[in-house]
Amino acid sequence: MIDPLATTTEQWPDAQALSDAAHRWTWRQLLADANDLSRRLETSRGGRIAVLSLDTGRAVVAIHAVRLAGATLVALNRRLTVAELVPLVARSGATRLLHDAHHAEMAAEIAAGVPGMTLLPLDVPGAETGAAAETPTAAGTLDPAALAAVVFTSGTTGEPRGVRLTHANLLASAHAWNAFLDSDADDHWLATLPLWHVAGLGVVMRSQVAGARLTIHDRFDPTAVRTALAVDGVTLVSLVPTQLRRLLDDGPVAAPRLPARRLGGAPNPAAHHERALAAGLTTQTT
C-alpha cells in the first residue's frame, strides 16, 4: 500500500496538518520534515528505533519518519525510570534511540546500559521545523504485514510487555474509527493522551488517514483543553474518564464544533456521562 502520509499530502498539500505550542505544519511541510528526519536515521529496513520525547509536533514527525525509513517504532514511556527503561529497550531490539533535548541526559544513561545503542537527537539546531516550501519526494510503499510499532503495556500485573503492531493493525484501526466517527479532512483532532501509548499513537494515525488537522498538547491541562474546544475549532478529542472529570470540574465547557469525545482506558461512571451530555458533549466509549 502507498504510505498514507504521502496520499494525504497529495490530496491536501497546503491544508494545516499539525500544530503544537510552538510550530505549525501543512501536510506538505510535515511530509518534508518527516522525509528529512528519515534520511538522518540511517537505518536499514526492518531496523528498530526507540523514541523518547515530550509530546510535541516534532515527536509526531519522528513517528512518521521512523515509518518512512522502513523501520519499527519502539515507543518509550518517558514516565519510567532509566532502570525500568534499560531492560525494555534491550529486549525490544532497538539499535537507535531518537530523543528530544529535554531527555538528552536520560537517553545517554539508557544508551550506556544497552550495548550497541546509537543516540540520535530529534532537535537539530538550525532546523527549519515546519518551514519546508518545496514539494517533498513522495514516500514509498508499505508492507501491511510488516512490523510498524512496539508499544509496551502498563505493567500493572507484572513487567511491561512489548505488543507488536503491524502497519495493517494500525491502519485498520484508523480506518475503522474514522468510519465510526464519520471523520474526514474537515475535522480537527485534539491529542491529550501520550504519544508513547497506543491511544495517542492511534490519534496520530487517524488524523493522517482522514487528512484531519491534529493539535498536540504536551500534557493534559483542563484550561488548555477548554480553550481548544471553545476557540480553536476542535471537533474530536480522546480522553480517559479521569480527564473528563477534571474537565467538567473546571467549569462549564463550550464546545460549539465538538460532535464527539472518545473515552477509554477505564470505566466511565454514569454520573460523568450525564454531566458530559448536559454540557453538550457527545460520548463514544470504548
Side-chain angles (χ1 to χ4, degrees), residues 218-235:
D218 61 354
R219 60 188 176 88
F220 177 76
D221 180 287
T223 301
V225 172
R226 189 177 303 279
T227 298
L229 297 181
V231 179
D232 298 338
V234 166
T235 60

Side-chain angles (χ1 to χ4, degrees), residues 16-25 27 30 53-64 78 100 122 129 187-208 212-221 224-225 227-229 232 234 236-239 243:
Q16 188 165 333
L18 172 67
S19 63
D20 60 15
H23 300 288
R24 292 186 177 188
W25 288 258
W27 289 106
L30 177 56
S53 172
L54 296 174
D55 292 333
T56 63
R58 284 295 288 174
V60 174
V61 171
I63 290 171
H64 292 309
R78 63 179 180 275
D100 62 3
L122 177 57
T129 301
D187 277 312
H188 181 179
W189 269 101
L190 174 61
T192 63
L193 299 174
L195 299 179
W196 48 260
H197 191 277
V198 69
L201 181 59
V203 171
V204 173
M205 300 305 295
R206 290 194 288 275
S207 70
Q208 72 159 346
R213 176 183 170 186
L214 176 64
T215 292
I216 299 290
H217 284 186
D218 61 354
R219 60 188 176 88
F220 177 76
D221 180 287
V225 172
T227 298
L229 297 181
D232 298 338
V234 166
L236 294 164
V237 59
S238 287
L239 301 170
Q243 292 174 326

Side-chain angles (χ1 to χ4, degrees), residues 1-2 45-46 48 67 70-72 141-150 163-172:
M1 65 178 68
I2 301 297
R45 184 164 293 275
R48 298 190 181 187
R67 186 182 70 253
T72 297
T141 58
L142 295 176
D143 174 3
L147 189 62
V150 174
V163 178
R164 296 159 56 93
L165 299 171
T166 65
H167 292 296
N169 293 149
L170 294 177
L171 292 174

